[in-house]
């Protein structure tokens, strides 16, 4: 599944318009369609298997965010990548 497809699923589940919710910047415009979420390596290397369907995992994550929104909204929004 591409990252764009995943975000579209999340927007649909949250009754949000994808085009109004996402901002594409020149530095990544068109590149995200090249990136795919793939668990094949984890399955092969670690003998891992998912415990939930993707749709169910998204639903439970949305429910968690709604339940704990008052805590989450107080967190810093600026992500700084650390090596």
């Amino acid at each position: 599944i591409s990252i764009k497809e995943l975000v579209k699923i999340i927007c649909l589940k949250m009754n949000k318009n994808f085009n109004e919710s996402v901002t594409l910047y020149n530095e990544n415009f068109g590149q995200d369609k090249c990136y795919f979420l793939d668990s094949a390596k984890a399955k092969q290397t670690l003998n891992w298997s998912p415990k939930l369907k993707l749709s169910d995992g998204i639903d439970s994550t949305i429910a968690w965010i709604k339940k704990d929104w008052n805590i989450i909204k107080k967190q810093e929004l600026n992500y700084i990548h650390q090596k």
Side-chain angles (χ1 to χ4, degrees), residues 22-56:
V22 174
T23 302
L24 298 175
Y25 295 94
N26 286 336
E27 64 206 36
N28 69 348
F29 185 76
Q31 291 181 9
D32 284 348
K33 59 185 169 187
C34 318
Y35 300 128
F36 289 88
L37 303 173
D38 184 2
S39 59
K41 187 172 183 178
K43 289 176 183 177
Q44 181 182 21
T45 307
L46 304 171
N47 198 30
W48 174 86
S49 63
K51 294 182 179 179
L52 297 172
K53 292 181 180 178
L54 179 60
S55 181
D56 294 339

